[in-house]
Amino acid sequence: MPQSSDPKSLAVPGSSALPPIVERTVTVTRALRNAAGQLMERALADRAAGTLSKSDLLKVQDQYQSIIDAANRAVYEATARLPPMANDFAQVEAATRQLEQALLQVRHFTETLVLTAKLLLAVGALVTLVLQPNPGTATATAAAIADVVKTIRDQAR
Amino acid sequence: MKMFPYVFAGRRVCAVVLLAALSMLAGCLSFRSVSAAAGVGQLVGARAVSVTIMPLYCDAENVLAGTGQTCPRDKVVTYVEEIVQYSKGIGRYAASLGALADYNDAYAGDALRQLAYSAERLDGNVLAPFDSTSVQLQTGAQSLGALLSQEWRRRKLTQLVIAAHPHVVALCDGLLARVTLLSEPVKSLAEQGLRFRRRALESLDTAPPTDNDDVLDRRQRQVLRLALLQFEFLTKTGYDNILNYKKALVAFKQAHTLLYDSVTAKKTLQDQDQAIYDLLKRDLPPLLH
């Protein structure tokens, strides 16, 4: 199921493919928290207006906290009931290993090809040295052979 | 002996035609869509660090709850470790996907070009003339090398995207479910819990102080209000970071689904690379920002 492209949807239940237990828990606990918040807003407004005593404000605050505590307990209870992810994680890890292996294989293929090309180039330089002997071709031959040796050494690391 | 140059020339023409035909099959050498999806996946691993602060919010929640503690700290620590471990796993998977997609086929192509060059120049231990046919042969060999490497990578990427997709989606959903639930108390703290505490303290001091003890109590409450202000800011920032982590999870799931849908359709990854990339470019930025 495609996700909504609205970034706010992440914070709103019902808009993404979350398991039903998550959807329900988030919906119910948010409703509880909102109700508790309204209760607290009202109490603070009454206190500011002078119609609510200190002790009554503390009582409302306790009620607010009790509701929040109940919502939090429900959230942890729901989290404990979520299906485990270990099996899927193992499969993703296996895929990762295969990808890493594939990268090594393609690198190995290329390195072999590069080495073969360099070897042939060195042989070519040697033939040129035999057919057209001069200081230039001698230098080129030495450079080609040194390059092959360096490549082999690099690959051996 | 007179036949030799004609045979040699005919063989070269055949080689040029064959290599030119093969090189025409080579499309773009990189898979931009896979690279883009991999980039988003790596964000999941990087942003998972945002959940490591959850045990601190757990402690704060228990302080506010008073005697009956609501947050099971040990369990939360275990959940957080699991989330971080699995998110880093997704990040590693995405990085491997990206590395294979971005592999430089030109390197293999260049090796084949060098092979063609040397073989051409030294056919029968004779230095052949360095002409345009020779250049074409080398270019064809280069394209062929790149094509072979690219084709192999495409097949491998397709196979692995198909095999891993259900597990990637399940893992993203599992992580999203856990983080959504565990971040609810943090959201509540950030959006109202701490603010109400601060305002309640403030509302106790509406009347003028009655005596010196009252003045001292007020100063203590001021210090508490300042501490609450600071923790409120930290909690809001922390919750925003958790939200960004959730965005990366949703975006990677979306990106992987797009890849999966395209490789399971009739067309190949190579045919659809630009189209998938365009879709990713359209869909992912709104999810991430």
Side-chain angles (χ1 to χ4, degrees):
Chain A
M1 181 189 141
Q3 297 285 332
S4 163
S5 60
D6 178 7
K8 286 180 184 167
S9 69
L10 290 162
V12 179
S15 58
S16 64
L18 290 169
I21 186 172
V22 180
E23 294 267 3
R24 277 199 302 271
T25 308
V26 170
T27 306
V28 171
T29 57
R30 280 189 185 178
L32 274 173
R33 290 180 207 276
N34 283 341
Q38 283 169 17
L39 187 75
M40 196 62 199
E41 285 284 4
R42 179 72 189 267
L44 287 167
D46 288 348
R47 173 73 190 151
T51 55
L52 194 73
S53 67
K54 275 185 191 178
S55 60
D56 284 342
L57 176 68
L58 290 173
K59 275 181 196 159
V60 175
Q61 203 173 6
D62 282 347
Q63 285 171 356
Y64 167 82
Q65 193 58 49
S66 301
I67 297 169
I68 297 298
D69 289 351
N72 289 347
R73 281 198 186 93
V75 159
Y76 296 118
E77 188 63 36
T79 309
R81 287 166 192 261
L82 288 174
M85 303 180 287
N87 185 42
D88 291 307
F89 180 63
Q91 299 294 329
V92 172
E93 272 199 318
T96 307
R97 280 195 295 275
Q98 285 186 53
L99 280 166
E100 286 166 353
Q101 191 59 36
L103 189 64
L104 282 179
Q105 276 177 288
V106 76
R107 275 189 186 144
H108 182 69
F109 159 75
T110 308
E111 278 165 3
T112 308
L113 215 55
V114 167
L115 186 64
T116 313
K118 284 185 175 173
L119 267 172
L120 200 60
L121 203 67
V123 171
L126 205 60
V127 170
T128 313
L129 181 66
V130 172
L131 295 175
Q132 296 171 352
N134 64 54
T137 50
T139 312
T141 307
I145 292 170
D147 196 26
V148 174
V149 172
K150 185 181 176 299
T151 308
I152 293 171
R153 199 178 292 145
D154 288 348
Q155 288 181 16
R157 274 179 196 157
Chain B
M1 287 297 283
K2 281 183 181 176
M3 285 296 286
F4 176 74
Y6 297 108
V7 172
F8 181 62
R11 211 173 65 198
R12 290 178 85 192
V13 170
C14 285
V16 169
V17 171
L18 178 71
L19 288 173
L22 281 169
S23 65
M24 283 170 70
L25 293 171
C28 55
L29 296 182
S30 69
F31 300 112
R32 295 172 76 195
S33 55
V34 183
S35 301
V40 177
Q42 287 177 73
L43 282 181
V44 173
R47 290 184 180 180
V49 74
S50 65
V51 300
T52 55
I53 201 169
M54 275 180 173
L56 176 75
Y57 300 132
C58 184
D59 290 339
E61 184 190 317
N62 284 336
V63 167
L64 294 179
T67 48
Q69 299 199 336
T70 54
C71 181
R73 196 180 197 283
D74 292 347
K75 280 186 183 172
V76 169
V77 169
T78 309
Y79 294 143
V80 165
E81 284 170 355
E82 193 181 49
I83 290 167
V84 171
Q85 185 197 353
Y86 292 178
S87 301
K88 285 187 175 167
I90 287 182
R92 274 199 305 278
Y93 166 75
S96 307
L97 209 59
L100 194 58
D102 295 338
Y103 187 78
N104 187 3
D105 300 300
Y107 191 44
D110 198 52
L112 263 190
R113 186 193 60 74
Q114 274 192 32
L115 271 173
Y117 168 80
S118 305
E120 260 287 292
R121 292 273 289 158
L122 295 163
D123 198 37
N125 273 0
V126 175
L127 289 175
F130 191 71
D131 54 13
S132 63
T133 314
S134 175
V135 173
Q136 281 177 300
L137 262 174
Q138 288 171 43
T139 313
Q142 189 171 19
S143 303
L144 178 63
L147 175 70
L148 283 172
S149 161
Q150 186 197 20
E151 184 66 11
W152 189 84
R153 286 189 301 123
R154 184 182 66 75
R155 282 180 193 279
K156 207 73 192 169
L157 282 169
T158 304
Q159 282 170 4
L160 286 170
V161 165
I162 291 172
H165 184 67
H167 307 292
V168 168
V169 168
L171 201 53
C172 286
D173 283 343
L175 288 169
L176 210 53
R178 278 160 181 77
V179 175
T180 299
L181 284 172
L182 291 172
S183 64
E184 280 298 295
V186 185
K187 177 180 157 69
S188 168
L189 266 182
E191 290 178 355
Q192 49 171 238
L194 295 169
R195 183 167 49 89
F196 284 147
R197 287 278 169 161
R198 203 163 37 78
R199 283 176 63 194
L201 284 174
E202 192 183 329
S203 73
L204 295 178
D205 298 330
T206 46
T210 50
D211 52 25
N212 279 346
D213 284 349
D214 193 21
V215 172
L216 282 174
D217 286 349
R218 279 164 193 254
R219 288 198 182 152
Q220 204 169 4
R221 281 196 287 272
Q222 281 172 353
V223 174
L224 284 175
R225 280 163 58 195
L226 282 175
L228 279 172
L229 262 179
Q230 196 180 9
F231 191 61
E232 199 179 327
F233 175 76
L234 175 76
T235 311
K236 278 180 180 167
T237 312
Y239 181 66
D240 282 348
N241 292 339
I242 293 170
L243 207 57
N244 283 334
Y245 165 69
K246 285 167 71 180
K247 286 175 184 177
L249 272 174
V250 172
F252 182 57
K253 184 182 155 190
Q254 172 91 330
H256 208 277
T257 303
L258 268 172
L259 282 182
Y260 175 78
D261 288 348
S262 65
V263 295
T264 48
K266 294 279 182 207
K267 288 180 178 174
T268 67
L269 185 59
Q270 185 178 310
D271 295 333
Q272 287 198 317
D273 186 45
Q274 188 59 43
I276 307 165
Y277 181 70
D278 290 341
L279 278 175
L280 290 171
K281 233 171 35 175
R282 189 198 66 192
D283 291 353
L284 298 189
L287 289 173
L288 285 166
H289 296 295

